[in-house]
Every structure is written in C-alpha cells, then in structure tokens.
Amino acid sequence: MRALLHIPESVLQENKLGVQHVMELFKTENWKELNEIVVSRDHFGAPASRFGDEYWDLSSYVDTKITNKKGIFFSEIASEYLAMEMKLICFYWMYVAGKPRTGPVIKTTTLISRHSKLNQIFKFLDSYSFKSVETLSHPLVFSEFCSYIQTQQYSIANCQHIFIIVANLRRTTGVLPFAFSSPTDQTPKELAKEYAALDKVKTDQFYAIPTRLMELIYAEALSIVESLHPHRDLIHNLLTDLHDNYLIGKKEIDQKIESGQWQWLKKSEPAYRIEVSKSKPSKDFEIIESYIQETPLAKLVPTNGSKFKGWITNVQTACYIVCAAFTGMRRSELYGLTADSFKTRVFNNQKYYFLQSQHHKMVQGRPQTCEWLTVPVALKAIELAEALSRNMRSQLLTDGDPIRVHISDCLWLNQSSKATFPKVRFEGSMRTHFNEIAKAANAYITEADLEEFKLINPNCNPQHADAKIQLGKLWPLTSHQFRRSFAVFAKRHDLCSSVAIKQQFKHLDVPTSDWYGEGGLDSKLSYFQLDVELKALLREVQHEMVTEKIHGWLNSKDELYGKMGKSIMKERKTTAQIFSSWDHVYSLVKAGKLNLVGTLHSYCLAGYDCQMQKVSSPAACFTCENQLIDKEKAKNWFQRHKWASEKLLYLDSIGELTASGYSHFVTQIKAAEKVMHHFRIPFSKLKMDGAKYEQI
C-alpha cells in the first residue's frame, strides 16, 4: 500500500483492498501475518515500518522543514491487544477515513497530532486493565475516563482535542472489527469545559508584545541585520574555512585508522573527536582572528570557537525575527523561506515587496506557493541568513539523502558539531536565542508594560499571564507573538483592514483575523478622550434621523420591500393612529423599542443587535424578518446586479469560476432581480453560454 500527500483514485482503491486484508487478519487474530504488514516506506520504496513495530517511521510523509515529529510510538501501552487496537485505528486513519466527511485522508502531521490524544485514551484503558476500547462505551467506564482526564489537569483546548478523538472513534463503528458508542450526548466542547483544570478553562490566546518591548526587540534584530549585512560574504568564507579545516583534520585521522596505523582508535569512540581536533591544521580561533582583524567585525565577533557558534545562531535568529515581525507569517511558512524568496512587484507606479514561501495550513496535499507583503529590509535579512547557511546547505545538497536534499534550501539550519550533518532549527533552539536577543535589547518588563499587556491581550488567561509576565523579568519571546503583534498593531494604527489581515495571514474567514487583532481597537480607543456633550448631541441627531425614516415609512404610500418592508405596508392602515405622531415614534426610538441600522443595500430594524458579522453577501439578509428596502436602496441593487454579472462572466471567461463562486454571485443576481422587479427598475438580463438565467 502507498501513503501519499495527494491521493489518486487508483491508489485509494489499492489501499482499500489492503485495508480489508488487514481487517480480516485482525478479526481472525492472525497476529504473525498482521505484524508483517508494511505500514510505511522510505523515500526509495523500501519498508520503513511494519504493523508490529512499536514505532512507525513516517519521516517520508512529512515535511521535515516544518516539523520534528516524524513518527508515532505504541510502546507506552503494555497490553498487547490494546496496542493492536490502537495501531488499527491509526492504520485506518492513514489509509481510509481520516475525516468524517468523504474525501481525502488526513495529512500525516494531523495523524501524529491525533495519535498523541489517542494515546491518552489507551493509557487510561491500559492502566485500569480494560481489554478493549469497546469498554469505553459503558457509562461507568466513560465516567471513570472523564475523571481520569480531570486528574491530568489539562487545558480546555487539550481536553477538547481528546474528546474529539473519542467522537472520531464512534464514527469507526461498523468499519473496524470493534464497536464503540458514546454513552453521553455532551459535545466535546461541553465535556472539555467540565473536565478541564479550573485554572485552564479560559482559552489562553498567544500574546501580543507591548509597544516599548516590541520596539526594543525589533530594533536589536534590525541593528544586527543592518550592521552585518555588508560583511555577509566574509562571514560565509570564514564558516567555510572553519569547516574545511575540520575536514582536513578528519581526513588525516581517518587515513591512519583505515590503513591500520592506528588500531587503538575507532571512529565511534570519544577519543576520535579529540584526535581530529588535534590534527586540524589551524586552531579555530586563529582562523576567526585572521578574518576579522582590522575589520568592523573585530569588536562584534567572539574568537572562542563555541561562543562563535552561539553568535552565528544569534545572528540567524535576528534574521528570523525581521522576517517574522514584518510579515506575520506562521512558523511553518517562515521555514519555507529560501535564498530567492524576496520578490518585488510594481502596481500603479508603486513598488511592493513580498516574501514568497509555502502555505501549509488547511491545505490538503502539497502546500501552496503564496506571497506575504513585507518591507525592503527583509531582503537584507534573507541575504544574510542565506550567507550564514550557504555552507551547511551545500553539505546537505551534495549528500544524496532525499530528506537532507529536501531541507537543503532551508535558511534556518544549525550544525552543533561538524561531525554531524546540519539540522533544521526548531522552537526550542529559537526560544533560547529569542531570549538572548531580548536580553541584549534590555527588554525587561516595567509597570507600564504590564498595563499595556492587559489592554492588548484581553483574551489571555490571567493566571497563566501572571506566572509568565512578571515585573522586572525578561519578556518571554515566542515565534507566534510576532504574528499576533502584527495583527494588533495593524488594527491599532489603522495600517490595514480585517480583510487585508485575512489576506496577509492566509485565514479562511474575517472573524479569525479579527480574533488575531483583539486588543488593537481597545488600545486605540484608550487614547481618546470622551466629549460627553458631543456624544449626547450625536445620539440625539441619530435618534431624530431614525425617527424620520421610520415615521416616513409608516405614514406614506411609498413602496417598500423585504419582510419588514412588506409587513409595514400591510399594516399601515391599522397602525395609522398609533404612529401618526412624530413625537410618539421619537419616544419609542429614544427608549430603544424601535431601532434601525442601514447598509448599502437595505435597512435592518434589529438595529445593532444584528451586527451582520457573518454576512458575506447582501442576499443573505433576504431571509431576515427585519430587512427593509426602500426606493433609494433599490437603486443600489441595480449596481450590485451589474457588478455581480460582470464578475461572474469574467471568472467564467478565464476558467476560474468555481461552484461556490457561481453560487455566491448568482444568489446576489437573483436577489437584485427580485428587488428591481418590485420597484419596476429596468435591467438587462444576464446571459451566459447562450442560455438565460431564470428570471423573476
């Protein structure tokens, strides 16, 4: 069987037959043959893991540039049968139905994430000596499991993920040779709220960095990049010479061992490293000094070998911060940056700068190539990072191993020992050097920082924040904070709209982008002083305008449309006496019993109780009982009809009209036609491929 990032239909059928065979082997308890089934292969097609292994190696199916988790373990489950059940579930997710909907199976990274939650379920079953996951269907056992989860003191998010896996197990009933039925009607979210640790019930949003601290940290990173960028080739040559110096020493010792001259030494022994170091033609500090003497680097670069490695990693981290801070990219997207990622575009005589990378989030199969708007200094950060990693990338590229070749274009590499190949840096390494840069920037928390932190982080868990963010302590910098800070300060300083943030962050919807920007508007409003008299005057004017509109609709013969509009027209005779008085209508408006809010295309008498946050199309309001359209608004529907028709025809002409796009525009066209027909506004019927749409 084959596991691929993109699954062709023929492979799905092949996998289905293989899965049926595995199911039969499990049912008949033919463990010997089942244990020999290949579950994963390496890049050359050779078996990497078999069903009976305690570790399934999935490194060929993950992007090693963005994750350091490359497989799943089953060794924590002592019961052999429970371990086999757990393996079968993971096998089922891999090859058949990773998602509840029909379609492609889950990505390997999702499988690895799910396995960690599934492991918690089976550890409970194993610790209580239950024989099968089926026992979790019993109400008493499930109650005991919930209590077990509660004792683990998990956060609400972690709990919810575990209970989602329980819900996923229920969907395997009828497919896997064991049945599970949930003994509760509660949703995973409800269960998570009930059994999460009391101090972790509130979701803890990633932190945005207070202004003063952010400026200090960003200034430090920019200073490093700006000062070292002119010397990037010199630094590359220095790193290359240090590596060549090591290879010469290594070659001399290897020749002595292979010729039999040194029979007392083996390459696997600790003494081998010592002898290689002795055999190097030059000491590391001598090579470093020879490069930096009489240059501006003499005061910046440490000559000690180990300190020099740390300094190089620090410089690389500064480049990472610049790229992250001025794009808002996710960590996985930053790890997709390459030497030629910086791009420029000219639009309307304005030059724009972009970083090009791979977008993985919510993408099935191969990642998408996308661009993120950035600033010119990002070019210097990319070029400096490229020079720092050039020698390491060359080592990986010429090795021939497919995984090493794959990561050879990554800029964020580290080589802790010259005896080993370079590796991709991950969060642990980044955080260590984030702290180094924060310390160099003197980013220690003050009272003013704490006050601003509370303002721009309204969704943080106060108990967690109090433990992490303390007066006088160093700011705890993490990679995702750059993304949150980008959104918050874009909102705070009106740098872009929520829609622009959605595009920059590659979000699926605007509410997610608004969530990232939480605290930005609050911090902006904190700088405004309230004029009480002006506020009262504006409120009075607003009440008068609303009264004028509603009184006119109730006491005229004007045509209205929409559910509320038709209702008003129908009841005008019966309500004439009640609403004939302008003052009476005004009193109802002032008391909040009548309300009104307008959009470009209609009015809503629900007022601001309906904020229309989820309305992506004006046609979506047609089912609302509060919608009202008058003749003035109807004219705008004529423009909406024209715009939607032109957009639909254009997308169809270039072959980019999807089913969802067709539905989005056609519903608006139909809605506009209904309005124009009601108000007797002439319009041209839409024609497409020689066929006319059904007209009202």
Side-chain angles (χ1 to χ4, degrees):
M1 295 198 306
R2 289 179 283 167
L4 304 174
L5 291 176
H6 176 70
I7 312 293
E9 187 62 36
S10 59
V11 177
L12 285 175
Q13 185 60 33
E14 176 190 332
N15 287 351
K16 185 177 179 181
L17 296 173
V19 169
Q20 289 173 353
H21 179 57
V22 169
M23 298 299 171
E24 286 299 320
L25 293 176
F26 190 94
K27 287 178 184 177
T28 58
E29 297 188 1
N30 187 347
W31 307 132
K32 185 176 181 180
E33 187 176 345
L34 179 59
N35 285 337
E36 292 302 313
I37 295 290
V38 175
V39 294
S40 66
R41 297 182 181 275
D42 62 21
H43 284 86
F44 302 103
S49 300
R50 300 182 187 274
F51 197 96
D53 295 344
E54 289 192 340
Y55 174 71
W56 288 2
D57 181 2
L58 306 174
S59 57
S60 298
Y61 310 109
V62 297
D63 189 340
T64 49
K65 284 194 292 186
I66 65 172
T67 180
N68 58 349
K69 296 178 181 178
K70 305 170 186 177
I72 51 180
F73 290 89
F74 303 96
S75 54
E76 292 183 274
I77 310 302
S79 168
E80 184 178 346
Y81 189 83
L82 281 175
M84 295 297 277
E85 282 191 340
M86 187 177 177
K87 290 177 182 179
L88 192 65
I89 292 168
C90 292
F91 187 86
Y92 174 76
W93 283 340
M94 282 178 69
Y95 291 103
V96 185
K99 294 183 180 179
R101 69 174 188 269
T102 58
V105 296
I106 58 174
K107 292 191 289 188
T108 308
T109 48
T110 306
L111 170 66
I112 294 171
S113 176
R114 281 191 182 184
H115 166 268
S116 67
K117 311 306 176 190
L118 183 67
N119 196 40
Q120 299 304 315
I121 298 171
F122 276 85
K123 281 170 71 175
F124 160 77
L125 296 170
D126 193 39
S127 63
Y128 282 79
S129 301
F130 291 119
K131 295 182 179 180
S132 170
V133 72
E134 291 180 330
T135 57
L136 203 59
S137 304
H138 195 284
L140 291 178
V141 177
F142 188 79
S143 176
E144 190 68 32
F145 170 70
C146 292
S147 299
Y148 167 81
I149 293 298
Q150 193 171 33
T151 61
Q152 301 302 304
Q153 294 290 292
Y154 290 136
S155 67
I156 188 170
N158 207 355
C159 280
Q160 187 171 350
H161 289 148
I162 292 172
F163 286 117
I164 286 172
I165 296 301
V166 173
N168 285 339
L169 291 179
R170 186 173 65 247
R171 300 189 189 101
T172 64
T173 301
V175 182
L176 298 181
F178 42 82
F180 171 77
S181 59
S182 178
T184 178
D185 294 330
Q186 289 178 282
T187 64
K189 189 174 183 178
E190 291 169 343
L191 288 166
K193 284 183 178 180
E194 185 174 347
Y195 296 105
L198 293 177
D199 62 333
K200 300 176 184 178
V201 171
K202 180 176 170 56
T203 303
D204 199 13
Q205 189 178 23
F206 283 99
Y207 301 153
I209 311 169
T211 306
R212 188 188 69 87
L213 297 172
M214 181 188 70
E215 289 177 347
L216 287 172
I217 293 168
Y218 288 9
E220 178 67 20
L222 286 167
S223 174
I224 292 172
V225 171
E226 292 281 7
S227 61
L228 296 178
H229 178 262
H231 310 288
R232 61 189 184 281
D233 289 330
L234 184 148
I235 296 173
H236 159 68
N237 293 334
L238 169 55
L239 290 169
T240 302
D241 275 6
L242 287 171
H243 187 255
D244 290 344
N245 185 53
Y246 166 80
L247 291 178
I248 294 171
K250 181 179 183 298
K251 184 178 180 181
E252 182 179 332
I253 298 302
D254 287 349
Q255 287 176 345
K256 289 181 179 179
I257 294 173
E258 291 165 6
S259 66
Q261 183 180 350
W262 280 12
Q263 296 183 4
W264 59 274
L265 182 64
K266 294 181 179 179
K267 294 181 181 181
S268 58
E269 295 176 351
Y272 173 79
R273 182 181 62 82
I274 297 172
E275 293 300 327
V276 169
S277 181
K278 289 179 181 178
S279 299
K280 291 189 294 187
S282 304
K283 300 295 182 183
D284 284 353
F285 77 88
E286 294 173 344
I287 297 174
I288 296 170
E289 286 181 348
S290 68
Y291 269 90
I292 65 174
Q293 281 178 351
E294 299 180 1
T295 72
L297 297 180
K299 296 180 180 179
L300 301 174
V301 180
T303 55
N304 176 274
S306 59
K307 289 183 179 179
F308 177 75
K309 287 180 184 177
W311 179 80
I312 288 292
T313 309
N314 240 31
V315 175
Q316 190 185 72
T317 305
C319 298
Y320 180 94
I321 289 175
V322 170
C323 294
F326 296 107
T327 59
M329 296 169 75
R330 297 181 180 93
R331 188 181 67 84
S332 61
E333 294 156 355
L334 288 161
Y335 275 72
L337 292 174
T338 62
D340 60 349
S341 282
F342 189 85
K343 309 290 181 183
T344 59
R345 301 277 189 279
V346 177
F347 182 71
N348 287 343
N349 297 321
Q350 176 70 45
K351 196 171 186 179
Y352 294 92
Y353 307 91
F354 299 90
L355 288 183
Q356 189 179 85
S357 183
Q358 302 295 313
H359 170 51
H360 298 262
K361 190 85 169 182
M362 309 300 286
V363 175
Q364 185 67 35
R366 293 185 179 277
Q368 295 176 349
T369 300
C370 298
E371 292 179 340
W372 287 260
L373 198 67
T374 189
V375 292
V377 74
L379 174 60
K380 292 183 178 180
I382 292 290
E383 289 179 341
L384 181 55
E386 185 278 328
L388 295 175
S389 61
R390 194 182 305 163
N391 180 262
M392 291 186 282
R393 288 184 288 110
S394 177
Q395 294 175 49
L396 294 170
L397 185 61
T398 56
D399 176 62
D401 181 273
I403 294 180
R404 293 194 181 114
V405 171
H406 172 68
I407 66 173
S408 64
D409 62 351
C410 182
L411 299 178
W412 321 115
L413 300 172
N414 187 30
Q415 191 171 19
S416 56
S417 169
K418 294 184 181 67
T420 60
F421 279 99
K423 296 179 180 178
V424 176
R425 293 177 62 195
F426 288 104
E427 191 68 14
S429 170
M430 284 293 182
R431 288 196 183 189
T432 299
H433 290 275
F434 284 159
N435 290 339
E436 290 297 320
I437 288 178
K439 193 181 295 182
N442 201 31
Y444 292 93
I445 300 167
T446 64
E447 286 282 5
D449 297 329
L450 288 174
E451 288 301 316
E452 186 182 357
F453 172 82
K454 294 173 184 176
L455 188 64
I456 63 176
N457 293 284
N459 299 314
C460 71
N461 185 316
Q463 291 174 303
H464 287 183
D466 290 344
K468 296 177 182 178
I469 313 299
Q470 297 181 0
L471 182 65
K473 298 289 186 180
L474 191 68
W475 176 261
L477 194 61
T478 65
S479 187
H480 210 72
Q481 288 176 11
F482 304 121
R483 187 170 172 85
R484 262 278 289 148
S485 300
F486 186 103
V488 168
F489 286 93
K491 283 281 190 180
R492 184 175 187 171
H493 300 292
D494 289 327
L495 298 178
C496 58
S497 65
S498 294
V499 175
I501 293 174
K502 172 184 175 292
Q503 174 66 24
Q504 179 79 356
F505 281 17
K506 310 299 180 273
H507 284 154
L508 293 179
D509 50 45
V510 173
T512 304
S513 303
D514 287 335
W515 168 254
Y516 267 77
E518 283 279 330
L521 292 178
D522 292 342
S523 59
K524 178 181 177 181
L525 293 173
S526 67
Y527 290 97
F528 287 92
Q529 292 183 345
L530 184 64
D531 188 325
V532 179
E533 292 182 3
L534 178 60
K535 184 179 179 182
L537 178 61
L538 290 173
R539 189 185 294 113
E540 185 178 346
V541 171
Q542 182 187 18
H543 288 161
E544 289 176 357
M545 291 174 66
V546 171
T547 302
E548 196 67 36
K549 280 286 183 186
I550 296 176
H551 182 264
W553 292 332
L554 290 167
N555 295 278
S556 70
K557 295 182 180 180
D558 293 344
E559 285 286 331
L560 301 174
Y561 191 68
K563 288 190 175 182
M564 180 57 72
K566 290 180 178 180
S567 176
I568 288 175
M569 289 177 64
K570 186 178 179 181
E571 297 176 4
R572 274 173 176 165
K573 292 182 180 179
T574 58
T575 59
Q577 291 183 335
I578 302 173
F579 295 108
S580 61
S581 170
W582 191 94
D583 291 333
H584 178 63
V585 176
Y586 179 79
S587 66
L588 293 174
V589 171
K590 193 172 183 179
K593 294 180 180 180
L594 288 177
N595 204 348
L596 177 71
V597 64
T599 66
L600 184 64
H601 301 91
S602 61
Y603 293 100
C604 180
L605 271 73
Y608 285 100
D609 290 336
C610 173
Q611 297 178 9
M612 290 172 273
Q613 289 180 344
K614 296 184 178 180
V615 175
S616 59
S617 163
C621 290
F622 268 61
T623 57
C624 178
E625 60 185 8
N626 295 298
Q627 188 197 36
L628 183 149
I629 301 173
D630 60 11
K631 195 168 185 178
E632 182 184 351
K633 294 292 184 184
K635 295 175 183 177
N636 294 329
W637 278 101
F638 176 81
Q639 297 299 328
R640 171 61 62 165
H641 183 273
K642 181 182 177 183
W643 172 83
S645 300
E646 290 175 352
K647 193 73 174 177
L648 187 69
L649 291 171
Y650 170 72
L651 291 174
D652 184 54
S653 68
I654 62 174
E656 292 188 6
L657 183 61
T658 62
S660 60
Y662 174 85
S663 175
H664 176 72
F665 291 112
V666 166
T667 52
Q668 294 182 66
I669 292 169
K670 294 294 185 184
E673 289 172 355
K674 289 181 180 180
V675 174
M676 291 186 292
H677 177 78
H678 181 84
F679 287 98
R680 294 176 290 279
I681 299 174
F683 62 92
S684 299
K685 296 178 180 180
L686 173 67
K687 293 182 180 180
M688 191 173 174
D689 293 334
K692 292 182 180 180
Y693 283 89
E694 180 186 354
Q695 303 297 322
I696 306 301

